[in-house]
Amino acid sequence: MTTNTEYVRIFDTTLRDGEQSPGCSMTPQQKVVMARALAELGVDIIETGFPASSQSDREATAQIARELRETTLAVLSRCLPGDIEASARSLEGAAKPRIHVFLSTSPLHREHKLRMSKAEVIDSIGKHVALARSFVDDVEFSTEDGTRTEEDFLHEAVGVAIAAGATTINVPDTLGYTTPKEIRGLFQRLIANVPGAKDVIFSAHCHNDLGLAVANSLAAMEGGARQIECTINGIGERAGNAALEELAMALKVRNAFYNIDSRIDSRRLVPTSKLLQRLIGMPVQHNKAIVGENAFAHESGIHQHGMLRNRSTYEIMNPSDVGWPDSKMVLGRHSGRAAVGHRLRALGYTLEDEQLDQVFEQFKALCEQQRTVDDDDLERLMTGGVTGQGYRLSSMTVSDRGQRASAQVELSDPDGRKLTESALGDGPVDALFAALSAATGVRLSLESYSVHSVGLGADARGEASLSVHHEGSEYVGSGTSRDIIEASALAWLEIANRILRSRQGSTSGKSAVA
Ligand code: KIV
Ligand code: ZN
């Protein structure tokens, strides 16, 4: 941290704005776990919830307040005495309590939501900010839908909140409507013209309806905001809030441009993101900046070649700076000979040009059968094993009619023998995986399972993707079929066959080098 003007406070609202969005709710215990991770990440303020709205938020806030003594804890309140009193009570044990009061200021909200005149809005802001100040010294006031408010009225509302004792003024872009240029100017004019503005911290809270939340937050900072409200993985109402990990890395990677620091420990970004994904069961998309599986993955030959010469050719950050172990060189259909040779050298195989040509041909053939080629597959190529063989699905039937689902699978084993197994489960997929497990003797504990459709109309197919942790390694597999249950079986078998091949590889050693 440097001086006030060069330091931006990170206000994390994963547990409030994030948690109130569909599919993201958390139990008090989950909130406590997440709050610990946020404190470790280095956020300045954690918004723990909306105490007046639920017992669960009151419980979570009280428990987090008992544990986290260094981080400011904020809770949300409408401009209602009951809300503010509930907030004050739930923060009673907190070392650094903040009451966050909000009221809509835009004409649309005044007319259709609040049914209040401008004068009534101004009166309510003054009264309720002062009430919050009677409980705590740290009060934030938010002008909900601030970016769609008449600018002169916004100035008046902010001035009243400051005069009543607000110490932070948050101007939310509630609908994700503004643009970087617009919000930069808005903050500049507020800070230059509202009486008392220089004595408070201005804050931006941007939603992502147009995909501009991070850009708008950075622009607000250029306009003078020194608090940014954001969430892990960008979760939040509708299209979400500004993603904390993206903001933090924009400030770090482009520090010479912004010249503003945050206190975020960037190496905790990926672990914190993964924790949230697990807690709420909502994975991020693979190409999500910073924390997505592909954020540091390279498959195309041209990129891999560049990366092998100098990683700065295709990476602007070091993956370990954000908590990934390393960049990923994914070997697949788009990879070139140089990347295959490089990976083989890392596995201990130094090949003459001609040998590498041969192996590369086999590699290409293998890529026609499977999407990616991992180290075990390369080992099999080098030791003369026939990759792509293993257990194969001959047929399957799944039924979900009784108390429990049942599945029967018929497989051919690596030697071509037929085997049939059946099992029960808590649903069709659970029963199917249990039957596959019984047939192959491989037990997998799933990290993630997702299905989606690929293609359109008559060509549409289901693709299932699985990832598992097995004996310290992570395996991913995918399968495609017109039937998503069958696609799931194919994905499961891809992983099981990889595990079985790696067991064989570890007993056969590297003697039969091509
Ligand atoms: O988006 C918004 O306006 C909010 C406020 C309640 C801060 O979340
Ligand atoms: Zn919001």
Side-chain angles (χ1 to χ4, degrees):
M1 186 188 119
T2 49
T3 63
N4 247 5
T5 51
E6 292 162 325
Y7 157 58
V8 66
R9 289 142 192 84
I10 300 294
F11 177 116
D12 180 278
T13 184
T14 305
L15 303 182
R16 199 278 297 169
D17 212 327
E19 199 253 358
Q20 77 193 34
S21 60
C24 296
S25 67
M26 282 178 242
T27 63
Q29 201 42 45
Q30 288 175 322
K31 281 196 173 191
V32 173
V33 171
M34 197 61 212
R36 285 185 197 128
L38 292 169
E40 235 184 284
L41 178 65
V43 310
D44 301 273
I45 302 117
I46 299 175
E47 188 164 47
T48 60
F50 185 2
S53 79
S54 78
Q55 168 63 16
S56 163
D57 276 11
R58 290 193 284 279
E59 244 177 84
T61 301
Q63 205 177 326
I64 295 168
R66 277 194 291 278
E67 268 197 44
L68 299 183
R69 312 302 291 169
E70 301 299 326
T71 314
T72 296
L73 302 182
V75 287
L76 190 67
S77 315
R78 286 165 296 187
C79 272
L80 294 173
D83 273 30
I84 294 169
E85 284 151 17
S87 287
R89 273 195 305 278
S90 70
L91 284 171
E92 254 156 23
K96 296 183 177 178
R98 170 181 295 188
I99 296 182
H100 177 190
V101 185
F102 77 99
L103 187 63
S104 295
T105 49
S106 69
L108 266 163
H109 281 218
R110 288 195 314 264
E111 187 184 337
H112 299 289
K113 186 177 104 167
L114 302 174
R115 307 239 158 100
M116 283 167 85
S117 66
K118 282 183 174 176
E120 286 167 327
V121 167
I122 292 294
D123 182 56
S124 181
I125 294 172
K127 259 204 314 242
H128 293 100
V129 169
L131 177 64
R133 258 318 280 266
S134 72
F135 292 108
V136 292
D137 289 338
D138 187 351
V139 172
E140 171 168 335
F141 177 71
S142 287
T143 57
E144 190 185 10
D145 206 13
T147 52
R148 296 196 305 167
T149 299
E150 307 91 327
E151 201 163 318
D152 55 345
F153 184 60
L154 184 66
H155 283 218
E156 186 182 347
V158 167
V160 167
I162 295 174
T167 44
T168 299
I169 295 292
N170 183 42
V171 183
D173 183 31
T174 305
L175 275 296
Y177 178 74
T178 195
T179 66
K181 189 171 173 193
E182 199 170 67
I183 198 170
R184 185 186 303 111
L186 182 69
F187 275 81
Q188 277 164 347
R189 290 186 296 276
L190 278 165
I191 293 169
N193 300 322
V194 174
K198 304 258 168 7
D199 304 324
V200 300
I201 298 293
F202 272 79
S203 167
H205 173 114
C206 298
H207 279 270
N208 206 29
D209 300 65
L210 293 175
L212 292 172
V214 170
N216 285 335
S217 303
L218 292 167
M221 237 181 44
E222 288 172 42
R226 287 295 175 269
Q227 173 178 289
I228 300 293
E229 304 198 355
C230 48
T231 58
I232 300 294
N233 300 339
I235 65 168
E237 288 284 1
R238 304 179 309 280
N241 289 65
L244 183 151
E245 56 280 0
E246 297 175 17
L247 282 162
M249 289 317 290
L251 291 178
K252 189 169 171 142
V253 173
R254 301 305 310 273
N255 195 257
F257 177 77
Y258 289 110
N259 202 18
I260 298 179
D261 295 327
S262 80
R263 282 187 182 143
I264 296 299
D265 175 356
S266 63
R267 289 160 310 170
R268 303 288 318 150
L269 288 171
V270 168
T272 312
S273 159
K274 283 188 184 277
L275 173 66
L276 180 66
Q277 295 179 51
R278 279 200 303 278
L279 287 178
I280 62 175
M282 187 183 279
V284 297
Q285 83 247 24
H286 283 205
N287 63 331
K288 167 85 178 64
I290 320 293
V291 296
E293 282 297 319
N294 287 356
F296 295 89
H298 309 268
E299 182 178 328
S300 89
I302 294 170
H303 287 213
Q304 290 183 337
H305 196 225
M307 282 289 292
L308 294 176
R309 296 237 163 122
N310 182 330
R311 69 186 320 147
S312 307
T313 51
Y314 286 103
E315 279 182 357
I316 57 166
M317 302 166 250
N318 196 323
S320 62
D321 283 349
V322 300
W324 287 111
D326 205 347
S327 309
K328 267 200 259 169
M329 294 291 193
V330 179
L331 293 181
R333 194 159 60 80
H334 305 104
S335 304
R337 187 176 172 280
V340 174
H342 182 266
R343 191 67 212 143
L344 285 170
R345 272 195 300 286
L347 293 173
Y349 300 101
T350 307
L351 306 186
E352 298 297 330
D353 273 359
E354 218 171 281
Q355 290 174 309
L356 181 56
D357 286 344
Q358 271 174 23
V359 176
F360 188 58
E361 281 310 306
Q362 292 169 356
F363 165 84
K364 286 282 188 195
L366 185 54
C367 291
E368 296 302 319
Q369 293 169 38
Q370 58 190 59
R371 211 180 238 183
T372 59
V373 171
D374 67 12
D375 288 353
D376 293 331
D377 296 323
L378 287 180
E379 293 274 7
R380 292 278 297 178
L381 284 182
M382 297 309 298
T383 53
V386 186
T387 49
Q389 276 195 356
Y391 286 93
R392 288 183 183 279
L393 184 67
S394 306
S395 66
M396 51 175 269
T397 40
V398 176
S399 133
D400 192 14
R401 260 176 267 134
Q403 288 264 349
R404 303 195 74 200
S406 65
Q408 186 180 62
V409 294
E410 190 183 306
L411 306 181
S412 59
D413 77 5
D415 299 318
R417 288 183 298 249
K418 294 269 176 229
L419 59 143
T420 306
E421 280 292 347
S422 49
L424 298 175
D426 289 334
V429 175
D430 190 47
L432 171 70
F433 290 171
L436 290 170
S437 196
T440 58
V442 177
R443 280 191 206 302
L444 300 182
S445 93
L446 294 195
E447 276 284 303
S448 71
Y449 166 58
S450 59
V451 285
H452 63 271
S453 87
V454 283
L456 286 175
D459 288 336
R461 289 173 163 265
E463 182 175 83
S465 305
L466 300 183
S467 79
V468 306
H469 265 116
H470 187 82
E471 293 172 1
S473 300
E474 189 177 350
Y475 293 85
V476 288
S478 61
T480 316
S481 162
R482 285 192 191 285
D483 169 14
I484 53 162
I485 305 282
E486 185 174 299
S488 307
L490 296 175
W492 195 100
L493 282 173
E494 184 181 333
I495 294 179
N497 284 330
R498 279 202 163 137
I499 289 172
L500 291 170
R501 284 201 298 269
S502 73
R503 280 184 196 156
Q504 280 170 16
S506 60
T507 51
S508 65
K510 291 184 185 172
S511 47
V513 177

